[in-house]
Amino acid sequence: MNKITDITIIGGGVIGLLTAREFFHAGATVTVIEKNRIGQESSWAGGGILLPLYPWRQPDAITRLVIQSLSLYPVLASQLKAETQIDPEWNPCGLLMAKNPDITAATDWCRTNGVRFEPASADFFNLINTQPENPLWLPEIAQARNPRLVKSLKQDLINKGVRLIEQCELKNVTQEQNRITAIATSAGRFTVNQLIICAGAWTGQLFRQFFPSIGHAPKIAPVKGQMLLFDAKPDTLPYMVLDEDQYLIPRLDGKILAGSTVEQDGFNKTTTMEARNRLESFAINLLPALKKYPVINHWAGLRPGTEHGIPYIDKHPEIVNLSLNAGHFRNGLAMGPASAQLMVDLILDRPAAVSPEPYKLSSPH
């Protein structure tokens, strides 16, 4: 038998890591169990824009977590960089949104939520080749570099003494009446006080496998996204650009990420030439300067999709020591800090910074 911790988290992506960190700061002991390597699924694969694409077209439940997370990120990034010496590259480089046919809804959303905006001047389009429609410039919107953020979170938790167990697959769950007492894994058996499922796209599958007879199962399914990375030089593009449903994201070292696809393909993470060609054509057409830079990486990740993109953050109504924090679709980084905060608020009965109602298992997602 292993040492019993207050909190056992299944899933070592950005949501699991942020949740573990929040619990540590609240005084709890934590174990994180990851079936592969920490942070190597959609947390690593995403783009890192810390704003949903066209947030005024999304449910308000997404906005609430995003706005709270925006307020938490500067301190989080600063602490991670200082305490781990790994820079998560939180970078408020700004976001140019080239086409906004619903400009009134866009500006109303920005005003309501305190997000600075201004009409994008013609100067922005000296670099960019597109037909702008009511272009907006959001000068304070930031990005984080997913792999660096995950790496810094992992090191931070190691420094704090949080137990991280990688390459560890969940095999069985032992219940007595309405309580989980232990889990069996490929690394041994663990007695459980509180169990939290943060397994991203695999969360729905885990519930079907280990809790087949209970109600209130989350409806989460994998949604594949493919991306490219161009080996560009610094200052090729100084800000993020969203053009219709695709985007370019410049990293601090000059490399430019182009994304992304949205594909229903089960748990298949295979990349395709069709997607590569489409993304490369989009990127070079939008930013002609990319013609002289090679594509150096092409990958796919599996987002944890829900019908409306609203995550599940809730204590299970039937199993008293089971909770879940999963289903963030395309916005795991953008909603992550506030999602972790809400999960801990619920379990420790703290006053919640964000109303928990929309994220309950019984609510629409």
Side-chain angles (χ1 to χ4, degrees):
M1 295 290 287
N2 287 278
K3 178 186 173 187
I4 306 169
T5 51
D6 299 320
I7 306 294
T8 302
I9 294 173
I10 304 295
V14 71
I15 298 299
L17 298 178
L18 286 167
T19 302
R21 189 176 188 272
E22 187 76 15
F23 270 114
F24 174 86
H25 285 167
T29 56
V30 187
T31 296
V32 178
I33 294 173
E34 165 57 43
K35 70 182 176 69
N36 294 316
R37 289 169 54 218
I38 293 288
Q40 295 301 298
E41 296 293 347
S42 65
S43 300
W44 177 91
I49 303 174
L50 299 180
L51 190 77
L53 306 186
Y54 308 105
W56 49 90
R57 301 175 191 171
Q58 313 290 337
D60 185 65
I62 294 175
T63 291
R64 299 282 62 82
L65 291 173
V66 167
I67 296 301
Q68 177 67 4
S69 292
L70 287 177
S71 73
L72 298 173
Y73 256 113
V75 170
L76 171 65
S78 176
Q79 287 177 344
L80 289 173
K81 184 177 179 180
E83 294 172 17
T84 70
Q85 309 307 307
I86 300 168
D87 186 358
E89 295 191 12
W90 178 82
N91 176 19
C93 60
L95 173 65
L96 172 65
M97 309 182 86
K99 295 182 178 71
N100 300 285
D102 46 355
I103 186 66
T104 300
T107 55
D108 286 350
W109 183 92
C110 289
R111 288 190 189 96
T112 299
N113 292 289
V115 173
R116 272 189 60 200
F117 71 96
E118 57 194 64
S121 69
D123 292 344
F124 281 101
F125 299 93
N126 294 334
L127 288 175
I128 301 299
N129 172 44
T130 191
Q131 296 296 318
E133 181 180 359
N134 304 316
L136 273 183
W137 169 237
L138 308 184
E140 295 177 348
I141 295 304
Q143 58 165 295
R145 192 166 187 167
N146 306 50
R148 305 281 176 90
L149 175 63
V150 168
K151 192 174 180 181
S152 62
L153 280 168
K154 178 181 178 180
Q155 188 60 53
D156 184 55
L157 293 176
I158 291 170
N159 293 351
K160 287 172 163 57
V162 170
R163 185 165 51 162
L164 306 179
I165 305 175
E166 299 181 274
Q167 306 286 355
C168 179
E169 188 174 354
L170 185 61
K171 297 290 189 181
N172 196 23
V173 175
T174 303
Q175 283 180 244
E176 292 182 8
Q177 296 181 329
N178 63 343
R179 174 175 288 274
I180 297 166
T181 56
I183 57 173
T185 76
S186 56
R189 180 178 167 85
F190 296 83
T191 300
V192 168
N193 283 319
Q194 289 281 345
L195 184 68
I196 304 174
I197 308 293
C198 298
W202 287 264
T203 299
Q205 188 182 70
L206 287 179
F207 266 78
R208 289 189 296 274
Q209 182 178 355
F210 296 111
F211 309 105
S213 62
I214 64 170
H216 299 98
K219 295 177 181 176
I220 299 173
V223 181
K224 182 161 76 174
Q226 298 187 51
M227 292 185 144
L228 302 181
L229 189 68
F230 287 82
D231 193 20
K233 299 289 186 260
D235 301 321
T236 302
L237 181 66
Y239 43 78
M240 300 178 285
V241 182
L242 175 63
D243 191 50
E244 294 183 334
D245 61 350
Q246 294 178 301
Y247 49 79
L248 297 178
I249 304 172
R251 301 308 198 192
L252 287 175
D253 61 5
K255 292 179 173 58
I256 295 175
L257 189 152
S260 69
T261 65
V262 179
E263 304 170 56
Q264 306 291 336
D265 197 17
F267 288 94
N268 176 20
K269 289 193 292 181
T270 306
T271 56
T272 64
M273 282 304 299
E274 178 190 1
R276 178 190 169 112
N277 292 340
R278 189 164 75 248
L279 289 169
E280 188 171 16
S281 175
F282 155 75
I284 290 172
N285 182 64
L286 183 63
L287 184 62
L290 286 176
K291 289 177 184 175
K292 59 185 177 183
Y293 298 115
V295 173
I296 55 171
N297 203 356
H298 174 206
W299 67 92
L302 300 177
R303 310 175 184 97
T306 62
E307 184 178 359
H308 303 294
I310 300 171
Y312 293 85
I313 310 168
D314 197 10
K315 297 193 290 185
H316 199 277
E318 297 175 50
I319 303 175
V320 297
N321 62 337
L322 175 66
S323 303
L324 76 161
N325 186 2
H328 295 74
F329 191 33
R330 304 182 79 161
N331 298 303
L333 264 65
M335 294 191 280
S339 296
Q341 190 180 63
L342 177 57
M343 185 81 272
V344 179
D345 290 343
L346 291 171
I347 288 180
L348 299 185
D349 292 318
R350 305 188 307 197
V354 174
S355 172
E357 289 299 322
Y359 318 103
K360 289 184 175 297
L361 277 152
S362 56
S363 297
H365 287 266

